[in-house]
Amino acid sequence: MGITATVPGKVHITLKVNGEEMEVSFAPYKTLLEVLREDLGLTGTKHGCELGECGACAVLVDGAPLLSCLTLAIECEGRAIETIEGLANGPELHPLQEAFADLGGSQCGYCTPGAIMTAKALLDNEPEPSSQRIKEAMAGNLCRCTGYQQIVESVEKAAGCCRHAERVKA
Amino acid sequence: MNAKKKLEVVGKSRRRVDARAKVTGLARFADDLTLPRMLHCKLLRSPHPHAIIEAIDVDKARAYPGVHLVLTGKDFPVPFGIMPVAQDEYPLAPERVRYVGDPVAAVIARDEKTAEEALELIQVTYRPLPTIASPQEGLEQPETRIHDYGEQGNIHRNQSYEFGDVEAALAASDHVFEDVFFYEGNNHMAMEQQASLAHIEGDGKLTLSSSTQNPHYLHRQMARALQMPASQIRVIACQNGGGFGGKCDPAGHEIVVSKAALMLGRPVKICLTRQEVFYQHRGRHPILMKFRTGVSKDGKLTAVHLQTLLDGGAYGSHGPASTFYSGVLTPVTYELPRFKFEACRVFTNKPACGPKRGHGTPQPRFGQEVQLDKIAAKLGLDPAEMRLNMVTQADSLTANWLKIGSNGLAECIRQVVERSGWKDKHGKLPEGRGIGIACSTYMSGAGVSIYWNKMPHSGVQLLLDRSGQVTVMCGATEVGQGSDDVLAAIVAEVLGIDTSVVRCVTGDTGLTPVDLGSYSSRVTVMMGNAAMEAAGRVHELITAAAAEQLDTLPEQVVMSQGRVFAADNPNHGMSFVEAVVLAETKFGTLGAVGNYSPPKQPGKYKGSGVGPSPAYSFSACVVETEVDRATGMVHIPKIWVAHDIGRAINAVHARGQVIGGVYMGLSEALMEEQAFRRLPPKLSAALVHRIPSMLEYKTLTALDMPDVEVMLVEDPDPNCPFGAKEAGQGPLLPVMPAVANAIWDAVGVRIDEVPITPDKILRALVLKREGKTPRIGPESFPEVPYPESVFVLPPGEGGDGNESKNVSRPSAQSSQSSHSRMEVTAS
Ligand code: FES
Ligand code: FES
């Protein structure tokens, strides 16, 4: 591990976030959530409990959804971190973002980044999930606004769009 | 608007104007904000539920490296509170703490960790006082006073109203049913933890960016508590990560960081932990209720005598309003000739209760709708038919002088009955499965402001210029419900443009005209009407200017789909931008304001200000259940809900509001509870929150949520913009009683309290097997020293809306003794 203590009490490492290498110094006890939000300015990732109970802070690490409030940032060196900020392709929204925006999957929007990232991990692994599978995958992402129905509908629609895009590419 | 056109924006399913920011992570919530030189604040909270603060020693904390400031109650001599009659809170408790979690000191430091470490160095000497855990205890122990204001002892508010001689009506009824219900308190648990950032602008003025639903009321209370002119303060409501009423009260921490920023000249931020959110609370009041209801043979109501007892927690909050709301909307759903309503709110040593989605009305709605189900069962009537036969009418007055405008309740009932297959299911499903119905109503905005004034409830300002941009400014606050989208949609509809052309600037007391806030489901109607007026004025200017160019009359000019043209010659016209240029050329700088005040209400008695609304929404709900008789677990396969919304401004999001309300109602029905327990005496006997975490405070997840079928009943209300009524609160209300009624249909037990947990069902099933009354719920209602009633004759009995003094009511004196002559059914 290339951890060097340049500032007393801090570690200095390189994190790979949304495909970009970012150098950052932080106190070693800081969680990935804190480093993303406070040290890298990536405030798209939210928090509702900071105790691993709500899913608002979910990001992808090496493709798997992880609660960033329970993950130490130093453990993420060399791993691929994906956050909501990296999802759109330039001005073009990801199908999940399109679907959440169009179908009411997002009301206050606070749970949305965590929900979308969790859904992305699901669709990356299972392009055709049943609605039951979607509900299982999203069960750790609490939402107080939507009643989940329009979130599930959004993920279903996005799955259809992703599959369509794949077919067009092929 | 003269030249009529079809609706082009309103009513369609559209992407919300703020959707893109939310799905990309760009939406900025309060805790997402940072500023150079920003410091962090943490609060020290009381470990005692009730104690005198004898001394606070902050010297060590002050000397701790990295600490910039330590504040205590001494720094805040002026109390505050959202209601002028209940300003009983201090940002930091000066001499007495009243619940576990009451803030007593604040540390402002270079980072949160340093502030937390310094908190541990503060030494507070407390002298514990006896504690009050429940309203019953509060009534029994008046000598342990939590506040030294209020009606008497620990009674915060106490009131009684009688609309017509209720005892006489009960005595003349074929049946009288008497039931006691309890509804446990619960928390909003908005996903966003409250955060606030205060800083001083270059011109020396204070700005607070905060998670708040009511920037206007917060603005006023900051001026009060900080003792500075409101003109020197700007409050910005950030995007709110859900509110549900939890961010309505001005909060102590908002005032603390403001004071700190003023003293230090540096930005100061605080973000509450989830545990602190449970302490800040202001959630649903636990309410004990007793209904005495008179019914005729054919199942029509003759009179209701409702008594409520509210557990207010430690502070006033919205309490005076909550007390009224625990009854005033009861007569709005069904024809009710006479109504008596007694309510009492008692202080207890627990976090303050306040407004949560439905504010005070879900509790009595639960009681009334479950009681109706019992009445139908006793009288052998179909519960849906019985309700349908007694719904209130459009354009009518209730016994307590509320004016109902449009009323789609009958249609709501018909639709849920039809879609759910009610007739084939009710009483006919196999044992263990059941179906239940309930209805409700809610206000589209409170008719009276929280503080007395005659100014508008909502103001909107529109600015346009030669670029074609349309900026609309309003103090209304986006809490997730889609208020910005409603604002943009209404302006866009009137001006014949797309919502993407409209820029919304909202919830900022420094820039936007006053709107009272996002509470009481008022925004669509009040902000919407103000926006209609402002946009109508701009429409007039543009059509006048365009008419000259088009050589036609202004009334003939149509604004549609980004174009402006003559109605009889659609091809001959101009773009919206060209028309704006003409208007700016003709009239000078373009803009307009609009505002809205609710119509005058017919009730004139003291207290008649709570309950009136420009329009009431109505909902009906059918819930299907499967009850596992071995475990008491309830499975809900499906819910049907019909909501009389007047008109949906944005169809997909109106549906989302309804489903979201049903979700929250179902979650309350089955599991949510803000419960407390006493520690053993050797651990101070403190009253502590049993579950201040998201893990222990159970809510429904995506996996638990049933399929919800939504039917929007659209019968436009003339008081509302494009006829649109509220959708944010009403659809929650019928869910809890519909669940209870479905459980009765499934397994024949009555759970007369919320939440309806498996242990209660199991206990009721045991009672049933033992041949006892298969019911779980409160056994009795305590003696409450309600005051003498304000007597008002109902509209149907020749009243004029005023209190009738000196009415001779022989039955009033002997109210309880008349029981013996009636058939009283403890249903
Ligand atoms: S903030 Fe990480 S799970 Fe709630
Ligand atoms: S959209 Fe508000 S919490 Fe999910």
PDB file of all heavy atoms in Angstrom, chain B residues 591-607:
ATOM      1  N   GLY B 591     -42.934  42.384 -15.322  1.00  0.00           N
ATOM      2  CA  GLY B 591     -43.050  41.569 -14.121  1.00  0.00           C
ATOM      3  C   GLY B 591     -44.438  41.725 -13.553  1.00  0.00           C
ATOM      4  O   GLY B 591     -45.218  42.567 -14.016  1.00  0.00           O
ATOM      5  N   ALA B 592     -44.731  40.916 -12.592  1.00  0.00           N
ATOM      6  CA  ALA B 592     -46.035  41.033 -11.930  1.00  0.00           C
ATOM      7  C   ALA B 592     -45.970  40.284 -10.608  1.00  0.00           C
ATOM      8  O   ALA B 592     -45.150  39.390 -10.426  1.00  0.00           O
ATOM      9  CB  ALA B 592     -47.140  40.444 -12.802  1.00  0.00           C
ATOM     10  N   VAL B 593     -46.823  40.693  -9.707  1.00  0.00           N
ATOM     11  CA  VAL B 593     -46.957  39.929  -8.472  1.00  0.00           C
ATOM     12  C   VAL B 593     -48.380  39.393  -8.393  1.00  0.00           C
ATOM     13  O   VAL B 593     -49.304  39.906  -9.027  1.00  0.00           O
ATOM     14  CB  VAL B 593     -46.671  40.768  -7.213  1.00  0.00           C
ATOM     15  CG1 VAL B 593     -45.211  41.168  -7.154  1.00  0.00           C
ATOM     16  CG2 VAL B 593     -47.570  41.991  -7.158  1.00  0.00           C
ATOM     17  N   GLY B 594     -48.521  38.346  -7.614  1.00  0.00           N
ATOM     18  CA  GLY B 594     -49.848  37.808  -7.343  1.00  0.00           C
ATOM     19  C   GLY B 594     -49.849  37.366  -5.901  1.00  0.00           C
ATOM     20  O   GLY B 594     -48.788  37.104  -5.323  1.00  0.00           O
ATOM     21  N   ASN B 595     -50.995  37.353  -5.304  1.00  0.00           N
ATOM     22  CA  ASN B 595     -51.014  36.828  -3.948  1.00  0.00           C
ATOM     23  C   ASN B 595     -52.340  36.171  -3.644  1.00  0.00           C
ATOM     24  O   ASN B 595     -53.288  36.262  -4.431  1.00  0.00           O
ATOM     25  CB  ASN B 595     -50.654  37.893  -2.917  1.00  0.00           C
ATOM     26  CG  ASN B 595     -51.546  39.096  -3.017  1.00  0.00           C
ATOM     27  OD1 ASN B 595     -52.739  39.004  -2.727  1.00  0.00           O
ATOM     28  ND2 ASN B 595     -51.002  40.217  -3.454  1.00  0.00           N
ATOM     29  N   TYR B 596     -52.372  35.511  -2.504  1.00  0.00           N
ATOM     30  CA  TYR B 596     -53.556  34.729  -2.172  1.00  0.00           C
ATOM     31  C   TYR B 596     -53.835  34.784  -0.679  1.00  0.00           C
ATOM     32  O   TYR B 596     -52.936  34.630   0.141  1.00  0.00           O
ATOM     33  CB  TYR B 596     -53.363  33.262  -2.583  1.00  0.00           C
ATOM     34  CG  TYR B 596     -54.564  32.405  -2.223  1.00  0.00           C
ATOM     35  CD1 TYR B 596     -55.731  32.475  -2.977  1.00  0.00           C
ATOM     36  CD2 TYR B 596     -54.538  31.569  -1.109  1.00  0.00           C
ATOM     37  CE1 TYR B 596     -56.852  31.732  -2.641  1.00  0.00           C
ATOM     38  CE2 TYR B 596     -55.655  30.814  -0.763  1.00  0.00           C
ATOM     39  CZ  TYR B 596     -56.808  30.903  -1.536  1.00  0.00           C
ATOM     40  OH  TYR B 596     -57.912  30.173  -1.197  1.00  0.00           O
ATOM     41  N   SER B 597     -55.085  34.993  -0.366  1.00  0.00           N
ATOM     42  CA  SER B 597     -55.569  34.837   1.012  1.00  0.00           C
ATOM     43  C   SER B 597     -56.793  33.936   0.950  1.00  0.00           C
ATOM     44  O   SER B 597     -57.612  34.081   0.047  1.00  0.00           O
ATOM     45  CB  SER B 597     -55.983  36.180   1.596  1.00  0.00           C
ATOM     46  OG  SER B 597     -54.873  37.037   1.646  1.00  0.00           O
ATOM     47  N   PRO B 598     -56.937  33.037   1.879  1.00  0.00           N
ATOM     48  CA  PRO B 598     -58.081  32.120   1.851  1.00  0.00           C
ATOM     49  C   PRO B 598     -59.398  32.876   2.044  1.00  0.00           C
ATOM     50  O   PRO B 598     -59.414  33.950   2.651  1.00  0.00           O
ATOM     51  CB  PRO B 598     -57.834  31.185   3.036  1.00  0.00           C
ATOM     52  CG  PRO B 598     -56.426  31.388   3.425  1.00  0.00           C
ATOM     53  CD  PRO B 598     -56.038  32.760   3.000  1.00  0.00           C
ATOM     54  N   PRO B 599     -60.483  32.312   1.521  1.00  0.00           N
ATOM     55  CA  PRO B 599     -61.789  32.973   1.678  1.00  0.00           C
ATOM     56  C   PRO B 599     -62.208  33.049   3.139  1.00  0.00           C
ATOM     57  O   PRO B 599     -61.793  32.241   3.967  1.00  0.00           O
ATOM     58  CB  PRO B 599     -62.747  32.072   0.891  1.00  0.00           C
ATOM     59  CG  PRO B 599     -62.028  30.780   0.680  1.00  0.00           C
ATOM     60  CD  PRO B 599     -60.568  31.058   0.773  1.00  0.00           C
ATOM     61  N   LYS B 600     -63.051  34.011   3.431  1.00  0.00           N
ATOM     62  CA  LYS B 600     -63.594  34.147   4.790  1.00  0.00           C
ATOM     63  C   LYS B 600     -64.456  32.939   5.110  1.00  0.00           C
ATOM     64  O   LYS B 600     -65.122  32.400   4.246  1.00  0.00           O
ATOM     65  CB  LYS B 600     -64.481  35.403   4.841  1.00  0.00           C
ATOM     66  CG  LYS B 600     -63.785  36.625   5.408  1.00  0.00           C
ATOM     67  CD  LYS B 600     -64.820  37.661   5.858  1.00  0.00           C
ATOM     68  CE  LYS B 600     -64.563  38.217   7.243  1.00  0.00           C
ATOM     69  NZ  LYS B 600     -63.204  38.373   7.642  1.00  0.00           N
ATOM     70  N   GLN B 601     -64.450  32.552   6.362  1.00  0.00           N
ATOM     71  CA  GLN B 601     -65.192  31.352   6.747  1.00  0.00           C
ATOM     72  C   GLN B 601     -66.423  31.714   7.564  1.00  0.00           C
ATOM     73  O   GLN B 601     -66.434  32.728   8.254  1.00  0.00           O
ATOM     74  CB  GLN B 601     -64.272  30.432   7.552  1.00  0.00           C
ATOM     75  CG  GLN B 601     -63.138  29.861   6.724  1.00  0.00           C
ATOM     76  CD  GLN B 601     -63.603  28.910   5.651  1.00  0.00           C
ATOM     77  OE1 GLN B 601     -64.600  28.209   5.814  1.00  0.00           O
ATOM     78  NE2 GLN B 601     -62.906  28.893   4.524  1.00  0.00           N
ATOM     79  N   PRO B 602     -67.435  30.861   7.497  1.00  0.00           N
ATOM     80  CA  PRO B 602     -68.692  31.198   8.176  1.00  0.00           C
ATOM     81  C   PRO B 602     -68.640  31.086   9.708  1.00  0.00           C
ATOM     82  O   PRO B 602     -69.414  31.753  10.382  1.00  0.00           O
ATOM     83  CB  PRO B 602     -69.694  30.194   7.606  1.00  0.00           C
ATOM     84  CG  PRO B 602     -68.864  29.067   7.058  1.00  0.00           C
ATOM     85  CD  PRO B 602     -67.556  29.659   6.658  1.00  0.00           C
ATOM     86  N   GLY B 603     -67.763  30.267  10.254  1.00  0.00           N
ATOM     87  CA  GLY B 603     -67.693  30.117  11.708  1.00  0.00           C
ATOM     88  C   GLY B 603     -67.182  31.404  12.337  1.00  0.00           C
ATOM     89  O   GLY B 603     -66.206  31.978  11.865  1.00  0.00           O
ATOM     90  N   LYS B 604     -67.851  31.878  13.416  1.00  0.00           N
ATOM     91  CA  LYS B 604     -67.418  33.134  14.036  1.00  0.00           C
ATOM     92  C   LYS B 604     -67.068  32.965  15.508  1.00  0.00           C
ATOM     93  O   LYS B 604     -66.638  33.891  16.161  1.00  0.00           O
ATOM     94  CB  LYS B 604     -68.522  34.196  13.900  1.00  0.00           C
ATOM     95  CG  LYS B 604     -68.872  34.520  12.451  1.00  0.00           C
ATOM     96  CD  LYS B 604     -69.852  35.681  12.371  1.00  0.00           C
ATOM     97  CE  LYS B 604     -70.470  35.798  10.991  1.00  0.00           C
ATOM     98  NZ  LYS B 604     -71.576  34.814  10.782  1.00  0.00           N
ATOM     99  N   TYR B 605     -67.308  31.787  16.061  1.00  0.00           N
ATOM    100  CA  TYR B 605     -67.017  31.573  17.477  1.00  0.00           C
ATOM    101  C   TYR B 605     -65.506  31.551  17.703  1.00  0.00           C
ATOM    102  O   TYR B 605     -64.734  31.303  16.771  1.00  0.00           O
ATOM    103  CB  TYR B 605     -67.653  30.258  17.967  1.00  0.00           C
ATOM    104  CG  TYR B 605     -67.219  29.040  17.185  1.00  0.00           C
ATOM    105  CD1 TYR B 605     -66.141  28.266  17.614  1.00  0.00           C
ATOM    106  CD2 TYR B 605     -67.878  28.645  16.015  1.00  0.00           C
ATOM    107  CE1 TYR B 605     -65.727  27.154  16.905  1.00  0.00           C
ATOM    108  CE2 TYR B 605     -67.470  27.542  15.303  1.00  0.00           C
ATOM    109  CZ  TYR B 605     -66.395  26.794  15.749  1.00  0.00           C
ATOM    110  OH  TYR B 605     -65.973  25.703  15.035  1.00  0.00           O
ATOM    111  N   LYS B 606     -65.093  31.821  18.934  1.00  0.00           N
ATOM    112  CA  LYS B 606     -63.669  31.836  19.261  1.00  0.00           C
ATOM    113  C   LYS B 606     -63.124  30.410  19.129  1.00  0.00           C
ATOM    114  O   LYS B 606     -63.664  29.487  19.747  1.00  0.00           O
ATOM    115  CB  LYS B 606     -63.482  32.345  20.689  1.00  0.00           C
ATOM    116  CG  LYS B 606     -62.046  32.599  21.056  1.00  0.00           C
ATOM    117  CD  LYS B 606     -61.955  33.428  22.346  1.00  0.00           C
ATOM    118  CE  LYS B 606     -60.525  33.723  22.729  1.00  0.00           C
ATOM    119  NZ  LYS B 606     -59.760  32.582  23.173  1.00  0.00           N
ATOM    120  N   GLY B 607     -62.114  30.242  18.307  1.00  0.00           N
ATOM    121  CA  GLY B 607     -61.592  28.900  18.066  1.00  0.00           C
ATOM    122  C   GLY B 607     -62.005  28.377  16.697  1.00  0.00           C
ATOM    123  O   GLY B 607     -61.540  27.325  16.265  1.00  0.00           O
TER     124      GLY B 607
END
